[in-house]
Amino acid sequence: MSHTLPRRITGGALLLLAIPLAPVVATAGFLATAFVTASVPALALAALASGALAGGLLGRAAFALLGLERRPGRRAAAFLAIGLTVAVAVLASVTIFRPMPTTTTAPAPPGVTFWNLPTGSRIAYVHASAAGKARPTPVIFLHGGPGTPGEGIPTGGRELAADGFDVYSYDQLGAGRSTRLRDITGYTVARQIADLEAIRRTLGADRIILVGQSWGGSLAAQYLAAHSKHVAKAVFTSPGALWGREYPGSTAGEPWNRLAPAQKARLDRLNSTPRLLAASLLLQVNPGAAHALVGDREVDHWLHEVALQGKDSTSCTGAPPTEAHNNPQGFYSNQMTRKDFEQLPDPRPGLRTAHVPSLIMRGECDFIKPVVTAEYRRTLPDSTFVTVKGAGHSISRGQPRLYTALLRAFLLGEPLPVGTD
């Protein structure tokens, strides 16, 4: 009797342990299988089998300790395994296998056309034609993110067109209305550079002028390092890190600290979505499995919702709200390009010998750390640095007139306007 009671207590504890352990083991089986396959049915079967095996083994041990004979114990363990498998399946169906909201893609607005590039990318773009005789160097705007395009001709673009520049703004690979890749490991900085070089060749321009905002500044620097002879001038507006490995993750600057309580609560809910968490884990194991589980339309919509929470957090205090647009975000382009960017070799040695006139702008309220932006000034030999008062990360939104005046003056070779430091 003295030995029976502890055995039964242990058996009861094992039964209780089986309930939370089965989902944990199922999750481990799900992730482990992702190392060898991207098949979602295979991942689901592996998860269910792992959970059932864990429940069955614990059940057999528990029922043996509880004193059941071998055959009844096996039968009870089998019922336990089946019950736990059903429970895991139901739990998975309402969490990681439950589709997230999507947004129906609206038709492209007037003015959006496409380049079918030799790289395989189908790139959406808008174009403001030069007034009169076009200058030989077109201006190309590069949006931020990666994966967060704008909509329409950027601020200052039409004024530059009136000055005789052909102006282009395009949705980078994996963002906006441009190509989404089936193999998301193809979202690399090298592919983005190749697309931009293909665009230059498509335009028939020997040299181009680049205007890069945020991540677009980082991309402009990478292109400049690879093709400096084809860049006439470059403008870096609130640029991101010059070298991704030096500032991994959000260490270059964190925009989310300025959110209102309701926005922060909404962002926390978005970030804790089980299906999104599963995709994020799979991205570390097998990006193809993440893409197979959660498609572009779901995660692009999720990223759009995230962007809505933070759209006003990057401006100076008291700035008017930003008007949102519906050009789709690009989640996988964002995740994979950022990851690749952080693995690239240091571009600064090459940039120190790139004698290309460059303008570097930083808004005084920019969340990007000043040392990040200042590194562009230290690295680029023919650069001018200005701080724009009353502007945040998006200078074109905070100070549109001054931003446009700076662009025009720099590209036309005129003195820069006052109002900057």
Side-chain angles (χ1 to χ4, degrees):
M1 188 74 175
S2 60
H3 295 291
T4 302
L5 183 58
R7 286 169 58 87
R8 289 182 175 176
I9 292 175
T10 303
L14 286 176
L15 284 177
L16 292 176
L17 179 62
I19 296 174
L21 190 61
V24 172
V25 173
T27 301
F30 180 85
L31 293 175
T33 306
F35 279 99
V36 296
T37 181
S39 168
V40 174
L43 298 179
L45 288 173
L48 293 177
S50 299
L53 180 62
L57 291 176
L58 284 175
R60 287 187 64 179
F63 291 125
L65 290 170
L66 290 171
L68 285 183
E69 295 180 3
R70 181 172 297 180
R71 183 171 295 179
R74 288 179 177 176
R75 187 180 300 115
F79 279 120
L80 176 65
I82 292 171
L84 289 174
T85 302
V86 171
V88 168
V90 171
L91 178 63
S93 69
V94 297
T95 53
I96 65 173
F97 290 111
R98 181 182 180 181
M100 297 189 298
T102 61
T103 300
T104 302
T105 303
V112 175
T113 49
F114 294 85
W115 287 306
N116 290 307
L117 302 179
T119 58
S121 301
R122 186 171 189 264
I123 298 295
Y125 72 96
V126 290
H127 173 214
S129 298
K133 184 179 179 180
R135 299 172 185 266
T137 49
V139 177
I140 301 178
F141 283 82
L142 304 176
H143 66 70
T148 55
E151 183 76 289
I153 300 296
T155 299
R158 298 200 181 280
E159 289 81 356
L160 291 176
D163 289 328
F165 294 99
D166 271 309
V167 175
Y168 298 88
S169 179
Y170 71 95
D171 299 342
Q172 294 160 28
L173 179 70
R177 300 178 182 89
S178 293
T179 300
R180 297 298 191 275
L181 297 178
R182 292 184 179 181
D183 178 5
I184 62 173
T185 62
Y187 292 124
T188 64
V189 177
R191 176 66 177 267
Q192 299 285 5
I193 293 172
D195 281 348
L196 181 50
E197 173 63 3
I199 289 169
R200 181 192 67 80
R201 291 174 179 270
T202 298
L203 296 177
D206 179 60
R207 297 198 299 169
I208 54 178
I209 295 169
L210 298 177
V211 181
Q213 159 69 24
S214 191
W215 151 255
S218 302
L219 176 57
Q222 290 289 326
Y223 182 86
L224 184 59
H227 301 286
S228 62
K229 67 179 182 179
H230 293 305
V231 182
K233 290 186 176 182
V235 179
F236 301 90
T237 308
S238 302
L242 191 60
W243 185 28
R245 194 179 301 180
E246 190 173 36
Y247 294 98
S250 60
T251 54
E254 177 56 73
W256 304 110
N257 297 328
R258 305 177 184 180
L259 296 181
Q263 293 171 321
K264 181 65 167 60
R266 172 62 175 159
L267 180 63
D268 289 342
R269 289 194 298 272
L270 287 167
N271 287 333
S272 60
T273 304
R275 188 164 167 85
L276 190 279
L277 292 175
S280 298
L281 286 172
L282 287 174
L283 276 174
Q284 310 307 313
V285 176
N286 183 344
H291 192 219
L293 176 68
V294 187
D296 291 293
R297 289 181 59 201
E298 289 182 62
V299 285
D300 288 358
H301 175 81
W302 176 89
L303 188 58
H304 177 74
E305 290 297 314
V306 169
L308 288 178
Q309 306 315 305
K311 69 181 179 67
D312 299 323
S313 67
T314 64
S315 304
C316 293
T317 302
T322 303
E323 184 177 351
H325 63 76
N326 292 316
N327 197 11
Q329 311 281 331
F331 175 84
Y332 287 118
S333 175
N334 174 276
Q335 295 292 299
M336 300 304 294
T337 307
R338 286 177 58 185
K339 181 179 179 180
D340 180 66
F341 182 53
E342 294 172 6
Q343 307 302 315
L344 297 180
D346 189 350
R348 292 173 296 186
L351 289 172
R352 291 189 182 104
T353 63
H355 290 277
V356 174
S358 302
L359 174 63
I360 304 154
M361 290 189 259
R362 183 181 188 276
E364 67 171 340
C365 304
D366 191 4
F367 67 86
I368 297 291
K369 297 175 181 177
V371 66
V372 175
T373 317
E375 189 167 37
Y376 283 78
R377 176 66 188 92
R378 292 196 306 270
T379 303
L380 298 170
D382 300 333
S383 61
T384 301
F385 180 91
V386 297
T387 299
V388 181
K389 298 177 181 179
H393 188 57
S394 176
I395 299 173
S396 63
R397 183 166 64 235
Q399 292 285 2
R401 291 183 179 178
L402 181 53
Y403 172 78
T404 300
L406 282 164
L407 278 181
R408 294 186 64 221
F410 177 69
L411 298 189
L412 294 172
E414 299 173 354
L416 298 182
V418 296
T420 60
D421 293 333

